[in-house]
Amino acid sequence: MDALQEGIRVWDRDVNRYLSSNRVPLYNPVEDYLCNLGRWDGKDRVRALADLVPCNNPHWRELFYRWFLNMVAHWRHTDRNYANCTVPLLVGPQAYRKSTFCRNLLPTELQPYYTDRIDFSNKRDAELSLNRFALINMDEFDQNRESQQAFLKHIIQKPVVNTRRPHGVATQELRRYASFIGTS
């Protein structure tokens, strides 16, 4: 609009052509974060993180560890055939800081890619969330209706997102980033 106001003749398709060209560098904030972490010092921080959750399940620590590594591997796109299908479910009384724990699983730089608001009744938006977010907290998991269970199973297992973007004409395959965690 500013270009038109300045007297520059430009069309919407010119902007789209430019944005889709090789003149605009691709930026992936998750990959950028992971690539700039530096060298690992060999210290296991994931199991220590799991130990912060009071739990009677003797397998919790190892299951959380495996889920967390799968989440990061999924961000790195190391396995394109499978999604991170395991969903840890934190159950406890109100104000027990379950959602805070989930939010803090992502570092500050990746916080914009966390959500605890996903509407499974809007299937298209729910599927697009797989591409938009790195971690989805199904807050108050027990509030999901039984009629949503089949779609929930489908979306948790879906390795890629096939959708038509808003205002798009063709279906695209979008990369899935999201892993799920739940609270109740």
Side-chain angles (χ1 to χ4, degrees), residues 46-55 60 101:
V46 178
R47 286 184 180 96
L49 184 63
D51 291 341
L52 296 175
V53 176
C55 183
W60 162 252
F101 175 81

Side-chain angles (χ1 to χ4, degrees), residues 156-176:
I156 288 171
Q157 295 178 344
K158 191 175 181 101
V160 295
V161 181
N162 296 309
T163 189
R164 186 180 54 81
R165 289 223 190 225
H167 311 293
V169 291
T171 301
Q172 286 182 279
E173 184 177 285
L174 304 175
R175 184 170 162 183
R176 176 190 168 149

Side-chain angles (χ1 to χ4, degrees), residues 28 30-31 34 66-85 130-131 133-135 155-161 174-180:
N28 183 320
V30 175
E31 284 181 12
L34 292 174
R66 187 177 308 159
W67 170 81
F68 196 94
L69 292 186
N70 281 330
M71 176 176 65
V72 175
H74 203 68
W75 294 346
R76 296 184 62 219
H77 210 52
T78 56
D79 187 350
R80 296 178 175 117
N81 295 323
Y82 301 99
N84 187 6
C85 298
L130 297 176
N131 174 257
F133 298 104
L135 181 60
I155 201 166
I156 288 171
Q157 295 178 344
K158 191 175 181 101
V160 295
V161 181
L174 304 175
R175 184 170 162 183
R176 176 190 168 149
Y177 291 92
S179 287
F180 288 91

Side-chain angles (χ1 to χ4, degrees), residues 128-147:
L128 285 174
S129 293
L130 297 176
N131 174 257
R132 290 181 186 144
F133 298 104
L135 181 60
I136 298 173
N137 176 7
M138 295 181 291
D139 204 21
E140 302 303 335
F141 180 79
D142 56 323
Q143 300 298 315
N144 287 318
R145 294 189 305 266
E146 193 172 319
S147 61

Side-chain angles (χ1 to χ4, degrees), residues 16-33:
N16 286 331
R17 249 187 236 132
Y18 174 72
L19 292 175
S20 299
S21 75
N22 61 358
R23 293 182 181 198
V24 177
L26 294 176
Y27 173 68
N28 183 320
V30 175
E31 284 181 12
D32 185 59
Y33 176 79

Side-chain angles (χ1 to χ4, degrees), residues 96-155:
Y96 209 59
R97 305 179 72 96
K98 300 175 299 292
S99 294
T100 302
F101 175 81
C102 295
R103 189 179 314 100
N104 288 331
L105 290 174
L106 292 185
T108 306
E109 297 87 345
L110 297 180
Q111 284 292 312
Y113 307 102
Y114 169 87
T115 190
D116 55 11
R117 291 185 177 93
I118 185 165
D119 180 7
F120 291 114
S121 64
N122 186 336
K123 293 180 179 181
R124 187 172 184 285
D125 275 358
E127 287 201 14
L128 285 174
S129 293
L130 297 176
N131 174 257
R132 290 181 186 144
F133 298 104
L135 181 60
I136 298 173
N137 176 7
M138 295 181 291
D139 204 21
E140 302 303 335
F141 180 79
D142 56 323
Q143 300 298 315
N144 287 318
R145 294 189 305 266
E146 193 172 319
S147 61
Q148 295 172 327
Q149 295 301 315
F151 179 69
L152 181 59
K153 179 181 182 272
H154 163 77
I155 201 166

